[in-house]
Every structure is written in C-alpha cells, then in structure tokens.
Amino acid sequence: MTVMGAGESAKYSCARLNDICEVVLDLDEKYNIERKKFGVVTPTDINYFKSVLSEDRVLTDESEVMPFNIDWIKNCRGQSQVVLKPKTVEEVSQILTHCNAKKLAVCPQGGNTGLVGGSVPVFDEIVLSLALMNKIISLDEISGSLVCEAGCILENLEQHAKEHNLIMPLDLGAKGTCHIGGVNNFEDILKLYRSAKLSLGEILSAFEMADAAAIDACVSSLKLTNPISSYPFYVLIETHGSNETHDSEKLGGFLEQEMASGLILDGTVSSDPNKIHAMWTLRESISTAVLLDGYVFKYDVSLPLKDYYKLVPKLKQRLGPTARRVCGYGHIGDGNIHINVSIPAYDKRTLEMLEPFIYEEVAKLDGSISAEHGIGFRKPHYIHYSKDATSLQLMKDIKQLMDPNGILNPYKVLPD
Ligand SMILES: O=C(O)CC[C@@H](O)C(=O)O
Ligand SMILES: [Zn+2]
C-alpha cells in the first residue's frame, strides 16, 4: 500500500505553490553570508565533466539548473550554474577528485525534499544530483540486508522488499490497522500514549498527534476531509503486527476501553487500505497545507514528552496577530514535534522574534534543536544549544579528515 510520502506531497505542493509563492530569497541575501574562497567553474571544468559523464548529464542551461537551486518548500534558493548527474560510484569519484584538486565546492543532492536548506546550494556550488544512482544492488532474504545506491527512493525500496515478502524498517507505507481520534487536551494525549504502549505493546507502529490548527490547514486549504468532528487535538494510532485479525481485535479492545475512560472522545478505525490511506494523507499533508498560508517558518525539535507541546502556546502568545497560524504536530512515539508558524509573506522581524528564542526555550527544556530534519543551512549557528564544544570539535575533526578542503556542502551543519 502506498501512503503519500514526502516526494509525492512535494510534487503536489509545487504545483500549488507556483501559483502563490513568487518570492524565493537567495540564501546569501536572506542570511547575509559571504562566499568562501572556492574556485569558480570554468569552460575547461565543464569539458572535463562532459568527458566523464555523457553530455546530457551535465546541465548548464539556466532553466534546467533552476529546479536544483530551489528547495521544495521554496524557502531557499542557491545560485549554482552546473548540475552533474553521475550514474556510478566511479563517476562520482572522478568528479570529486577533480573538484577537490580545483577547490570547487559541491552540493550533493538527493530528492531535494529537505526542510532546512541542506539540499540546495548557497552560492555557485556544483550540484551533484544522485537521482540516477537509483539501483538496488542486493537483497539478502535471510539477513534482511538491502544494499542500494544513494539515490534510491523509499517507495521503490518498499516495492522491492514487498516482492520478497519483506518490509522496509523505515517503511512509511506498511499499514495494518489505523485509528484517528479526537483527544480534549494535551495531557490526555500523554495518558493515551502510555496506555497504548501498555495495551498494544509490540504491535503499536505509529502514534502521531496534530493540533486543531494543523488539521484545519488540511481541511481549509487542501479541502481534505476530517473523518471526525472538530477537537483541539487529534491522534493517529496505527498497529502493525503479524496477525491482522489479532491486531485489529487488540486495537478495537484498546479503543473501546479508552472511549469509555473518556481519553478518546470520538474516532474512526479501519483496516481498509483506502481508508487508512485517507487517514495518513490527512496527517502527512499538514506540512504542505500550511505552506499555502504564505511563508512558513518550520521547526523540528525534540522535547521530553511532558513538555512536548509547551512551545506552541508560548509562541502563539509571543507572536500574537503577526502569525497567521501556529501549529504543532508530529511523532509522539519519537518525541519529535514540528512547529510551523505561518505569516502572509517572509518578514525578517518575525524571524527575529522566533530565533534564537525557540532554540533557547528548547535548550531550557533539555530538548534537541533538530529532531529528524537535520541541521542543514538554517541551524549551524544554533547547534551549540544542543551540542557541547567537545562534540562540535569532534564533528569538525571528522569532517576535516574526510573533506580537508571543505568542498562538500559548505555553509551547512557545522558553524565556522
Ligand atoms: O513540514 C514539517 O514541518 C514536517 C514534515 C514531516 O517531517 C512531517 O512529519 O510531516
Ligand atoms: Zn516528521
């Protein structure tokens, strides 16, 4: 079964966003940073790349290069003039040897679905697109190990694993039985989570939450259907064990118990793939739906569960009417919350109200400033809120060892 993943929602949102989002700010303009002293690509370099790759895998035409310069949420735009599309490790190696000798900076790019500006160039770094490195090399059915190239997309891996009666452990699409419910306050969600872990144990495969503002974005902007009435908070609970009848009986029993206890006020449950798909689409479309408000500041932080939702009301209060929407949603099971703040159009004053405030608050609560989206371009200067000087030095030493000229994805992850 396929559930809308990041790639699919990206395609969908780009079509919609093209209509509403004319302004993408260049990264140096937005963040006021200076280009480092890397080499500049010359016609000789281009000829060399064409000799390594076939001509059609060296893109220099502005319109062809542009999509590789802009991230899918249209938050960041780099200024690269060359995209290279290797097909083999040997080709990558030849390109990087050349770039290293000439000190040409390189931005490796996968699906370009990143949310922190890590996947697009900042200045004129060469984009090394891994899109054509999409071969599955081997699958050991006994150990369950799959070896694949770096540009494989999850959906294809999922399909391949399925043909061998296996699933991807990162599988976002294998759904068993799914429930979406309305729960009154955040404390109830935590009680429900504890209870779900106790009652459902090993078959609990997802426990997601979204607040009313997040679901409202899907309903009002994307016209998706919310299968239950309006509540301040929603949870999506999914079970995925080896015996479907047993799993749905177990989930059914749990839901009955928690509806009687009042922790769940309303809900719908299904094992029908189409209905499950609709439930996940609602949850996984929030990210895209909020983008249609205008400009979105996206935060991806992890917090101790007792404090998981604390920042959302705090930010609402801090921003007042400046914000069009402040919403929180995410993966309770992982302790990750996505806080999205939307405003009609990009505005530096709002950015200054949000940062570093939000990271200071996360640090006070003993959380991490990056949960699952990474540090990318947007967070290196805040990494010290979550990592101490020793850890940072170790990370810098490893980077120095592997990339002594610092040509790989400069301006990202580690602060200068
Ligand atoms: O856009 C976001 O902030 C979160 C995206 C994604 O990680 C999700 O869980 O929906
Ligand atoms: Zn997420």
Side-chain angles (χ1 to χ4, degrees), residues 104-124:
L104 295 170
V106 175
C107 173
Q109 191 177 92
N112 198 8
T113 54
L115 291 164
V116 282
S119 60
V120 285
V122 178
F123 292 96
D124 56 347

Side-chain angles (χ1 to χ4, degrees), residues 188 192 195 254-265:
D188 282 356
L192 192 68
S195 167
F254 165 74
L255 297 176
E256 226 169 81
Q257 168 194 311
E258 296 308 351
M259 287 192 94
S261 77
L263 282 184
I264 301 175
L265 301 179

Side-chain angles (χ1 to χ4, degrees), residues 73-348:
I73 58 170
K74 296 201 166 193
N75 203 304
C76 304
R77 181 174 60 201
Q79 300 157 33
S80 181
Q81 285 162 21
V82 191
V83 177
L84 304 178
K85 299 176 95 178
K87 278 186 178 167
T88 64
V89 174
E90 289 71 29
E91 288 176 350
V92 172
S93 178
Q94 287 181 60
I95 292 166
L96 290 184
T97 304
H98 179 87
C99 291
N100 196 41
K102 298 285 214 70
K103 298 209 174 35
L104 295 170
V106 175
C107 173
Q109 191 177 92
N112 198 8
T113 54
L115 291 164
V116 282
S119 60
V120 285
V122 178
F123 292 96
D124 56 347
E125 298 91 278
I126 294 166
V127 176
L128 188 71
S129 165
L130 302 176
L132 301 180
M133 296 192 61
N134 55 5
K135 285 193 273 314
I136 294 168
I137 297 164
S138 64
L139 173 63
D140 180 332
E141 291 192 36
I142 301 173
S143 69
S145 316
L146 183 142
V147 181
C148 66
E149 291 182 337
C152 281
I153 61 168
L154 189 56
E155 199 171 338
N156 293 347
L157 298 181
E158 234 167 50
Q159 185 55 38
H160 187 77
K162 201 170 156 193
E163 284 161 17
H164 296 264
N165 288 323
L166 293 166
I167 59 162
M168 288 295 294
L170 272 178
D171 183 10
L172 308 173
K175 315 295 182 195
T177 304
C178 202
H179 158 85
I180 202 159
V183 173
N184 257 335
N185 53 56
F186 186 70
E187 280 62 45
D188 282 356
I189 293 193
L190 289 187
K191 285 184 199 152
L192 192 68
Y193 178 55
R194 266 181 88 165
S195 167
K197 286 215 298 184
L198 281 174
S199 306
L200 303 171
E202 79 296 344
I203 65 164
L204 179 64
S205 55
F207 194 105
E208 302 270 311
M209 71 76 68
D211 62 14
I215 295 295
D216 175 65
C218 294
V219 174
S220 55
S221 301
L222 295 181
K223 310 290 171 231
L224 295 180
T225 306
N226 170 7
I228 59 175
S229 332
S230 297
Y231 291 96
F233 292 96
Y234 299 82
V235 288
L236 188 153
I237 302 173
E238 179 206 272
T239 55
H240 194 245
S242 52
N243 182 329
E244 209 176 308
T245 318
H246 167 259
D247 296 348
S248 50
E249 262 174 34
K250 223 170 161 181
L251 182 61
F254 165 74
L255 297 176
E256 226 169 81
Q257 168 194 311
E258 296 308 351
M259 287 192 94
S261 77
L263 282 184
I264 301 175
L265 301 179
D266 186 4
T268 172
V269 63
S270 183
S271 307
D272 169 357
N274 291 325
K275 290 198 179 130
I276 294 176
H277 182 262
M279 290 187 209
W280 274 103
T281 298
L282 187 66
R283 159 61 189 90
E284 289 180 342
S285 299
I286 300 169
S287 174
T288 305
V290 182
L291 290 172
L292 299 173
D293 283 351
Y295 186 90
V296 184
F297 296 95
K298 283 180 175 284
Y299 298 97
D300 153 60
V301 299
S302 66
L303 289 164
L305 284 181
K306 64 177 176 28
D307 301 319
Y308 183 89
Y309 195 71
K310 256 192 190 150
L311 289 183
V312 179
K314 212 170 211 173
L315 287 175
K316 267 188 199 153
Q317 197 184 13
R318 184 173 171 84
L319 294 167
T322 305
R324 199 167 251 188
R325 186 190 313 270
V326 180
C327 64
Y329 57 100
H331 323 285
I332 293 260
D334 297 328
N336 300 359
I337 181 161
H338 303 306
I339 302 173
N340 286 195
V341 176
S342 67
I343 53 176
Y346 175 74
D347 162 39
K348 202 160 186 204

Side-chain angles (χ1 to χ4, degrees), residues 26-36 79 121-123 125 377 381 410-412 416:
D26 288 338
L27 285 173
D28 60 332
E29 179 190 335
K30 197 156 135 188
Y31 293 92
N32 193 22
I33 61 159
E34 270 184 32
R35 184 185 184 278
K36 289 185 180 175
Q79 300 157 33
V122 178
F123 292 96
E125 298 91 278
F377 176 75
H381 304 296
Y411 321 104
K412 319 279 174 62
D416 282 330

